Amino acid sequence: MSNKSPSPPVGGAGTGVNPEAGHIRVDSEFARLDADNDSATGDSVGYPSTTTSIGSTILEYRKLHGRTYHNFEGAEYWGPNDDKQNEGLDIAHHMMYLAFDNKLYLAPLENPQKVLDVGTGTGIWAIDFADQFPSAEVIGTDLSPIQPSWVPPNCRFELDNCELPWTYPDNSLDYIHIRGLVGCVKDWVTLYRECLRCLKPGGWLEQQEFALPIAANEGSLPDDCVWHDWGKVFQEAGKRTGRTFEVTGDWEDWIREAGFGGVIHTDSVKLPIGGWPLEKKWREVGLFNRLGLEQGLEGFASFLCTQVLGWQDVEVAVMLARVRQTMKDKSIHAYYPLKTVYTQKPLA
């Protein structure tokens, strides 16, 4: 049985974070603003592209259309791992942090001592969490060694493929955090079983993922809007690879099948694309969202469209041009959901 909890307990996003219950109010003056002013303030955090302790074969990244991709044998990940894409990941992290009212998690954690961040990417979440909980040991895992070498003393990173059997002992972790793994995992039930095995009794599993489809704040997007085509790219790519991008519709069932027997909490917020919301907080979220999308747009589409769907380069370029144009269209008040699920391993 699912317990829908838009206002989670301590550690959560807090009252008023969840706008799914109604529309985000639109700034009536937004359409008159100069597009040149439609950018988010603040700098993303930059990171080195490699670490110094990794074998040379891992650092021999695969290259495609001038972008680099991981070289972890037997693993599949569709996104680039170069500086351009990593900057987009850090912008997205900041955008989600704002959306959650400056919270890194929603589960009601109490003094976690051993924490695992699965698919850590640039490591920015793990670093922030380690700073917030200096007594905790925080481990971030990823297919690419793109994390910085200067990190808090209680934070470290490991190269690992989360689809392989985990090496962590039974009942050893207080908290497992997963984010941004849509399109990456073939068997979610097996992954969740590893989470259950490795969590201590009373430990928490939490996951955040972006969800489809992109929608309009007023109810529906125009029939010819490119956001429909954008969503179909990920839907079809997931079907062909066997690694779905539509995780959030089934994750409660998979978590149950994996053996979690406690209450499953869920949360969802709308992430506006652009500065159209009236409220200052959601306008800032929207501006960072658009900035992150612009930064990562080519990386999101290139591999999936050409290597999975068989598109020609010119077809990809045309779609990306349409997306960029639509993001600048002030009459389209688009958003997509950011969904969260969290549950506790029973104490017994």
Side-chain angles (χ1 to χ4, degrees):
M1 180 178 179
S2 173
N3 179 15
K4 305 291 183 180
S5 53
S7 298
V10 176
T15 303
V17 171
N18 187 343
E20 282 284 9
H23 294 312
I24 301 175
R25 290 186 295 166
V26 177
D27 185 353
S28 61
E29 296 296 315
F30 174 67
R32 305 181 194 179
L33 296 177
D34 187 341
D36 292 337
N37 294 327
D38 208 16
S39 60
T41 58
D43 297 324
S44 61
V45 180
Y47 290 104
S49 58
T50 64
T51 58
T52 57
S53 59
I54 305 301
S56 59
T57 56
I58 290 293
L59 299 181
E60 293 173 358
Y61 297 134
R62 295 180 298 164
K63 294 183 179 179
L64 177 69
H65 300 295
R67 308 299 297 270
T68 62
Y69 295 78
H70 79 86
N71 192 32
F72 198 112
E73 185 177 358
E76 293 293 334
Y77 177 60
W78 50 274
N81 63 2
D82 50 30
D83 288 345
K84 181 177 181 180
Q85 203 71 15
N86 295 341
E87 288 172 7
L89 294 178
D90 286 343
I91 293 170
H93 168 79
H94 183 66
M95 177 260 296
M96 288 183 274
Y97 187 66
L98 292 175
F100 286 151
D101 288 333
N102 301 333
K103 302 289 184 181
L104 293 171
Y105 58 92
L106 300 187
L109 304 181
E110 295 182 7
N111 194 29
Q113 291 302 294
K114 191 161 186 179
V115 174
L116 177 65
D117 183 29
V118 181
T120 194
T122 66
I124 190 169
W125 183 93
I127 292 169
D128 285 353
F129 193 92
D131 281 334
Q132 186 171 337
F133 292 93
S135 66
E137 176 188 3
V138 182
I139 304 168
T141 64
D142 203 85
L143 298 173
S144 294
I146 55 176
Q147 302 79 32
S149 55
W150 292 93
V151 298
N154 58 324
C155 180
R156 61 186 170 90
F157 299 108
E158 299 176 350
L159 279 174
D160 200 6
N161 179 3
C162 69
E163 292 192 280
L164 299 177
W166 291 13
T167 58
Y168 304 105
D170 295 356
N171 307 313
S172 60
L173 301 172
D174 294 292
Y175 178 54
I176 297 174
H177 176 262
I178 301 174
R179 187 174 75 180
L181 288 190
V182 291
C184 301
V185 176
K186 203 157 219 177
D187 188 346
W188 279 100
V189 174
T190 296
L191 179 63
Y192 291 141
R193 282 184 182 139
E194 288 290 76
C195 293
L196 181 65
R197 177 183 67 81
C198 295
L199 280 172
K200 296 177 183 177
W204 288 89
L205 165 66
E206 180 170 354
Q207 183 173 356
Q208 280 106 22
E209 300 291 356
F210 301 139
L212 295 172
I214 293 177
N217 191 58
E218 292 74 19
S220 61
L221 293 166
D223 292 340
D224 61 349
C225 184
V226 70
W227 288 130
H228 297 303
D229 301 327
W230 184 255
K232 290 175 183 176
V233 164
F234 296 96
Q235 292 169 333
E236 182 61 26
K239 291 176 183 177
R240 296 197 186 187
T241 61
R243 290 177 163 86
T244 181
F245 285 81
E246 299 176 278
V247 172
T248 63
D250 296 301
W251 58 9
E252 291 182 62
D253 292 336
W254 295 334
I255 288 170
R256 283 275 180 252
E257 187 177 346
F260 284 91
V263 175
I264 296 178
H265 306 266
T266 61
D267 189 89
S268 182
V269 296
K270 295 176 180 178
L271 298 178
I273 302 173
W276 55 262
L278 177 63
E279 295 87 346
K280 179 181 177 182
K281 167 189 167 179
W282 294 109
R283 180 188 294 120
E284 189 174 7
V285 168
L287 291 172
F288 273 107
N289 193 13
R290 175 179 152 179
L291 183 63
L293 285 172
E294 290 173 337
Q295 183 74 15
L297 204 58
E298 183 183 9
F300 294 149
S302 293
F303 182 88
L304 295 178
C305 288
T306 61
Q307 305 303 301
V308 177
L309 302 183
W311 290 21
Q312 299 299 313
D313 291 345
V314 65
E315 295 177 282
V316 181
V318 168
M319 184 185 67
L320 293 181
R322 292 176 60 206
V323 171
R324 292 186 181 99
Q325 183 178 14
T326 298
M327 282 197 289
K328 295 177 182 178
D329 188 341
K330 297 180 182 296
S331 68
I332 297 179
H333 305 145
Y335 74 91
Y336 58 90
L338 170 62
K339 297 193 175 183
T340 301
V341 64
Y342 59 98
T343 190
Q344 188 177 31
K345 182 174 179 176
L347 289 168

